[in-house]
Amino acid sequence: MRSAWADAWRELVATARRTVADGLVVGTSGNVSVRVGDTVLVTPSGIAYDRLGPDELCAVDLDGRPVAGDLVPTSELPMHLAVYRSTGAAAVVHTHAVHATAVSTLVDELPAIHYMAAALGGPVRVAPYAPYGSEELATHVLEALRDRSGCLLRNHGTVVHADSLGRAYDNTAQLEWMCQVWLAAASVPGRTPSLLPPGELDRVAERLRGYGQHGRPSRAESRGTRPPSGG
């Protein structure tokens, strides 16, 4: 188990650093977690990701009790644990991405501007605002994630879960991109963006289930670092 934790922690740290490099978070905002059995490895509170190494492991059980490491887990731990207890998620990525956060202040649901909404289960809902780190926020997130694998948080950011850390990260990036596309299209004076009907998203969801190199995953896919992109 310790070996599995070490491998998962290395991937978690790399993913957390990538959120900064790709502009999805600033400083220590946002957080990342991965589930290994009944243990959750999670980024610690208030520590720059480039300072995290193999010795900074932060692990809790599904009730939030410390399992390994001396660091205090992210303040958003209640949200991460709520997702794991209520879904089959293996990883959760939370960001403060600029375009997604902007969209969260404008609408109650990201309109179906692109077919990749199907990868998240459909049009992406916005969870009502609640203070960060609160059980109230965790409750709102679970409602917004009903039949979805991603949502926006009002005046806050994004939450995406998946069956691998790579897929959770890449779907987070897709969500930020869709928010950017919608903002760009909606900003054109006198024009209204065309949207995809629910039936089309259902068709795309079915196609995505059969997407990829079945039986012969690429090296990236075998590491869980590439979701279906439709391309």
Side-chain angles (χ1 to χ4, degrees):
M1 181 60 74
R2 290 284 175 170
S3 175
W5 287 359
D7 291 342
W9 182 252
R10 279 192 292 269
E11 184 181 12
L12 182 149
V13 170
T15 300
R17 290 174 178 171
R18 189 178 174 194
T19 64
V20 177
D22 290 352
L24 298 177
V25 304
V26 176
T28 60
S29 65
N31 26 80
V32 179
S33 67
V34 62
R35 180 173 178 173
V36 181
D38 290 331
T39 300
V40 175
L41 310 184
V42 63
T43 48
S45 178
I47 295 182
Y49 298 143
D50 60 3
R51 290 173 51 198
L52 293 179
D55 297 331
E56 281 75 38
L57 177 70
C58 185
V60 300
D61 64 18
L62 292 173
D63 292 319
R65 292 184 293 259
V67 172
D70 298 322
L71 298 176
V72 176
T74 172
S75 58
E76 296 288 11
L77 184 62
M79 181 173 67
H80 287 255
L81 295 180
V83 172
Y84 288 122
R85 289 194 296 257
S86 302
T87 72
V92 176
V93 174
H94 166 50
T95 77
H96 293 178
V98 172
H99 299 95
T101 303
V103 169
S104 80
T105 70
L106 298 172
V107 295
D108 294 327
E109 181 179 88
L110 172 66
I113 192 73
H114 192 272
Y115 62 78
M116 278 307 292
L120 295 169
V124 179
R125 304 183 187 104
V126 179
Y129 178 81
Y132 76 89
S134 66
E135 293 291 347
E136 181 184 7
L137 178 59
T139 298
H140 290 332
V141 166
L142 290 185
E143 179 59 26
L145 286 175
R146 179 173 40 84
D147 301 321
R148 300 288 189 270
S149 59
C151 71
L152 303 180
L153 312 183
R154 179 85 69 200
N155 299 91
H156 189 156
T158 70
V159 173
V160 174
H161 69 79
D163 57 2
S164 72
L165 193 49
R167 193 176 300 279
Y169 180 85
D170 283 344
N171 282 349
T172 296
Q174 290 280 1
L175 175 54
E176 167 67 355
W177 178 82
M178 285 189 290
C179 288
Q180 185 175 7
V181 169
W182 183 77
L183 286 170
S187 70
V188 178
R191 303 299 298 268
T192 300
S194 63
L195 303 176
L196 299 176
E200 181 57 24
L201 292 183
D202 291 341
R203 280 209 310 164
V204 172
E206 186 62 32
R207 290 173 66 89
L208 290 177
R209 279 191 279 272
Y211 183 87
Q213 304 295 322
H214 296 291
R216 190 183 179 191
S218 68
R219 284 179 294 176
E221 289 170 330
S222 68
R223 294 194 301 269
T225 57
R226 286 290 179 267
S229 63

